[in-house]
Amino acid sequence: MASDFDVNVVQGDTLKWAMYLKDSGGTAYNLGGCTLGMQVRRSYYPTSLVASYKVYIPVGSTFAEFPKGITGGISASATGGTIFIAIGSTFTSQLSSEATAKYDIQLINPIGSDTTTILRGSLTVLPEVTRF
């Protein structure tokens, strides 16, 4: 079952966070061979897509970092259970200030092609003050 995690971002900023997946015994989840996907939409119902990221995690990969650039992305380490998420300023600037969007992150396991939503929540956009 998915965990809920609500986040705030200032309109036009890049939002970053990391998460660590562990199994029921506390061991880092092996993400090798899995695919991670994340989408942000203005609501749960069919609405325009704000941001969409998808990445395949190679078996045995041990290094992941925050995605770079203004659009953001999703990255993960196969053996460490570490997932890095960045929603870029290009996307957060498209959202109205004081609006709330919805997101989720899904893990597709290559064995049986099972899909599991691992995180979901609301993304609240706060108004910016400084404008360049």
Side-chain angles (χ1 to χ4, degrees), residues 9 11 95-100 123-128:
V9 62
Q11 185 180 27
L95 295 167
S96 302
S97 62
E98 301 186 31
T100 301
L123 186 147
T124 301
V125 181
L126 305 172
E128 66 182 335

Side-chain angles (χ1 to χ4, degrees), residues 24-46:
S24 58
T27 303
Y29 191 85
N30 188 338
L31 297 167
C34 294
T35 299
L36 284 170
M38 176 181 181
Q39 291 190 342
V40 179
R41 296 181 183 272
R42 287 187 168 80
S43 77
Y44 289 117
Y45 306 102

Side-chain angles (χ1 to χ4, degrees), residues 14-96:
T14 299
L15 173 65
K16 294 182 178 182
W17 77 89
M19 59 187 284
Y20 306 94
L21 291 183
K22 296 180 181 180
D23 64 20
S24 58
T27 303
Y29 191 85
N30 188 338
L31 297 167
C34 294
T35 299
L36 284 170
M38 176 181 181
Q39 291 190 342
V40 179
R41 296 181 183 272
R42 287 187 168 80
S43 77
Y44 289 117
Y45 306 102
T47 62
S48 60
L49 189 62
V50 174
S52 182
Y53 309 113
K54 188 174 182 180
V55 65
Y56 170 78
I57 301 106
V59 174
S61 66
T62 58
F63 182 74
E65 61 182 14
F66 278 109
K68 293 178 174 55
I70 59 172
T71 59
I74 191 164
S75 173
S77 168
T79 58
T82 306
I83 300 171
F84 295 103
I85 298 109
I87 300 173
S89 59
T90 298
F91 296 119
T92 64
S93 64
Q94 294 176 24
L95 295 167
S96 302

